[in-house]
Amino acid sequence: MADNLSEALKTLKLSSADSATDSVESCLDCLLKALAHNNVEASEKIQQMGVLPMMPSLLATQNSCTPKVANIIAEVAKNEFMRSPCVEAGLIPPLVQLLNCKDQEVLLQTGRALGNICYDSHEGRSAVDAAGGAQIVAEHIKALAQNTDPSTGKLLTVFCGMLMNYSNDNDTLQAQLISMGVIPTLVKLLGVHAQNTALTEMCLIAFGNLAELESSKEQFASTNIAEVLVRLFRKQAEHDKKEMIFEVLAPLAENDVIKLQLVEAGLVECLLDVVGQTVDSEREEDVAQLKTASDLMVLLLLGDESMQKLFEGGKGSVFQRVLSWVPSNNHQLQLAGALAIANFARNDGNCIHMVDTGIVQRLLELLDRHVEEGNVTVQHAALSALRNLAIPVVNKAKMLSAGVADVVLKFLQSEMPPVQFKLLGTLRMLIDTQADAADQLGTNRKLVERLVEWCEAKDHAGVMGESNRLLSALIRHSKSKEVVRTVIQCGGVKHLVTMATSEHMIMQNEALVALGLIAALDLDSAEKDFVGATLVQVLHKLLTEEKSAPEIKYNSMILICSVMGSEPLHKEVQSLAFIDVVSKLRSHENKTVAHQASLTEQRLTAQS
């Protein structure tokens, strides 16, 4: 074989470019045979003998040898080490030129050759780009899309593969294909050629690549992709095929328009079927498919319209099925069920309906199961759902009487920041406007100590911020001396003073109101902490800073008046010449601030 190959290569080098002689053809046949026998070895030999630079002239004249030459290049380019030499030998321009011919075999082998040269090769892609190859291939696909002849199917598969290799992992080239209008063409292909497995797979892989790009979503949304994919999904029995479709659905479903299209096309029913088929299985692929299907279900619920369509006023069969996941013994389904409830709980109407129909109890039972088992993602999801459900005012008392606060407090010992964050947010939502609950929680020493500890969680800004906000909320909503005393004794005052300097105005305000209540309800006990935390200096800064919002200035002045009953604080106020700062604020454009400045000035003057 090796001797025959050497002979054939020598003969080929001696042949004139335009001779479609029998000797050239038999040499090409010999090369193809050698490549089929041992591709790597034959390719190395072709490279060593310097035959590649001869190929452009063999391609330039179209004759019976042309498809064989293109086939040889396609076979050679299966080897990574041969792709750059193919580009350097100048093979790309003549190959791209061949894309203009009508002969199907030539087109097939040329498509293979270009596709293989582009595979994982920057040089190959750049050369094809420069020669305009992708545009011609895209036009061929568009022209042939409706043709269901088997040989055309094969050609379309090769062309789709070529475009995929050309653009894979390259955002610039993918964007180029999108601007050429490749997406509607491929969607049409998928619809027309659903019976052609190879072509279908090629389209799905191409979609998987393109769907990651944000600019593709709009084009996908203007096609019937949702319908086509759902129809295709229903036909699939094999795990691998379903997985391929899932890989396209996931990035597409991030787009709200497509979410609704997928829901309307019946994807949800397909997903529920997958869950039903895989929930009791322990096979690895079934476990993976259950996760993918339930995750996708949750993703569809992130769109407002798609979510509301599935909620159907709380009567929707999909909504009911998803609820049944919560008490399941499968962690993945518990997680998806809790996340789905959190997503359904995105408007007051839904939240009120869900609380009235007993969903809180299911979530509490789920959380109780995970105090010991401790699955962090399930804890986080269930707490998220409870937090959302607690937003409407009418739900708060109902949820408190259902024992939500008691169950949530069981997670106070959690060392997981995501759980800590949701726990804090849930409690803060629950006590909003609920004085008794704020009083009860605010005198719970264990809780307040933990909050003070978390107020120092510098590595977790979210937990730190929420701890401060809950500490302030306990005081603001209870207006209780006992709560104030508990916060003082646990060392919370300094954190509230720091919170007053936050970059978020809402947090500054919450802190100032809480500090005002501390000063009004138990100034004597707080005096030492106020001095230690340099409260007066902080207030001076807030009043002198231009950027401080009117309500910040207003609440700072209220607080100044409240601390005047303390001798050391009074002295600090005098030493910082507050009267000058306040008198300037009398002409503030905000009338409430100006009025409070007058009152504060009178108070300071009277007590100086």
Side-chain angles (χ1 to χ4, degrees), residues 129-382:
D129 182 21
Q135 180 75 55
I136 303 171
V137 169
E139 282 162 10
H140 272 303
I141 297 174
K142 194 172 183 178
L144 296 168
Q146 300 286 4
N147 188 331
T148 52
D149 176 59
S151 59
T152 305
K154 199 173 173 190
L155 179 59
L156 284 167
T157 305
V158 165
F159 277 163
C160 286
M162 181 260 161
L163 288 185
M164 198 178 68
N165 287 354
Y166 170 72
S167 65
N168 192 27
D169 284 339
N170 185 314
D171 287 0
T172 312
L173 296 180
Q174 286 175 357
Q176 182 195 81
L177 292 184
I178 291 166
S179 65
M180 284 177 194
V182 161
I183 288 173
T185 304
L186 291 179
V187 174
K188 188 183 285 181
L189 271 191
L190 200 54
V192 173
H193 299 267
Q195 306 307 320
N196 184 331
T197 310
L199 181 52
T200 300
E201 284 184 15
M202 207 53 92
C203 284
L204 288 172
I205 297 168
F207 284 154
N209 290 344
L210 296 173
E212 296 291 343
L213 235 63
E214 210 39 57
S215 58
S216 75
K217 309 269 167 72
E218 231 168 87
Q219 275 205 28
F220 274 117
S222 66
T223 69
N224 64 337
I225 183 73
E227 214 180 292
V228 170
L229 287 175
V230 171
R231 202 182 313 133
L232 196 63
F233 191 87
R234 284 200 178 109
K235 287 181 185 166
Q236 304 309 323
E238 291 170 49
H239 168 83
D240 292 352
K241 298 280 171 18
K242 285 183 177 173
E243 204 54 49
M244 283 181 87
I245 301 173
F246 273 142
E247 279 173 20
V248 181
L249 287 168
L252 285 180
E254 285 167 12
N255 177 282
D256 281 359
V257 178
I258 300 175
K259 277 188 185 77
L260 187 59
Q261 291 172 353
L262 289 168
V263 167
E264 287 172 343
L267 177 62
V268 172
E269 289 72 16
C270 297
L271 297 177
L272 290 172
D273 287 346
V274 171
V275 169
Q277 290 155 15
T278 56
V279 65
D280 297 319
S281 169
E282 288 180 10
R283 283 168 57 203
E284 201 175 311
E285 60 190 43
D286 286 340
V287 172
Q289 205 163 86
L290 175 74
K291 178 173 173 15
T292 309
S294 53
D295 283 351
L296 191 49
M297 184 79 190
V298 172
L299 182 57
L300 291 176
L301 293 172
L302 277 173
D304 286 339
E305 283 188 77
S306 49
M307 177 271 288
Q308 212 52 45
K309 190 173 178 66
L310 294 172
F311 189 67
E312 286 182 60
K315 309 238 178 339
S317 61
V318 172
F319 172 62
Q320 297 300 333
R321 286 275 294 276
V322 170
L323 286 190
S324 72
W325 294 355
V326 177
S328 137
N329 289 321
N330 182 303
H331 281 185
Q332 176 57 36
L333 276 196
Q334 293 170 0
L335 170 65
L339 287 172
I341 292 172
N343 285 345
F344 279 124
R346 284 211 313 279
N347 63 51
D348 283 7
N350 292 6
C351 289
I352 292 164
H353 177 87
M354 287 197 273
V355 168
D356 287 346
T357 49
I359 282 170
V360 169
Q361 209 43 54
R362 295 193 194 199
L363 290 169
L364 294 183
E365 284 162 13
L366 176 61
L367 277 171
D368 262 332
R369 290 166 71 179
H370 284 275
V371 175
E372 299 307 322
E373 286 179 54
N375 183 305
V376 174
T377 51
V378 175
Q379 291 172 2
H380 182 262

